Amino acid sequence: MGINTSWQGRRCTIKVEQEMNIYTASMLKEPLLEPLNNSREVVLDLSGVSDLDTSGVQLLLLLHRESIRHQINLSISQMSMAVRESLTLYGLLNWFNAP
């Protein structure tokens, strides 16, 4: 799986280096949600995501909802063109404090 997680105190950075689509969403769910249990801040590096479809967007929205529920700051530090295009299409760039 193409997810790398690194910690700096209670700040977790998650780098995704694979497609986020209908074929991978179920495999990505747990590794993306797990850091919410032990962190104060989660930063997503989506620069390695080559495809983001509706299932991937739904996964990001789930992560967003759960970060609010856990009172955790969630942001995107970097994103690929595929991610930018999808989030722009859905009007969601501002939801993730995207650059």
Side-chain angles (χ1 to χ4, degrees), residues 45-48 76-81 83-84 87 93 98-99:
D45 179 345
L46 304 178
S47 60
I76 297 175
S77 64
Q78 298 180 51
M79 66 179 75
S80 67
M81 187 55 71
V83 173
R84 181 171 297 283
L87 293 181
L93 275 177

Side-chain angles (χ1 to χ4, degrees), residues 40-86:
R40 293 266 183 220
E41 180 180 10
V42 173
V43 178
L44 298 174
D45 179 345
L46 304 178
S47 60
V49 176
S50 59
D51 179 41
L52 181 71
D53 71 2
T54 303
S55 295
V57 171
Q58 288 175 334
L59 185 57
L60 290 176
L61 289 174
L62 172 65
L63 187 59
H64 182 266
R65 184 189 74 202
E66 289 301 302
S67 70
I68 291 171
R69 190 169 73 82
H70 286 84
Q71 299 179 346
I72 294 169
N73 183 34
L74 174 68
S75 62
I76 297 175
S77 64
Q78 298 180 51
M79 66 179 75
S80 67
M81 187 55 71
V83 173
R84 181 171 297 283
E85 288 172 357
S86 292

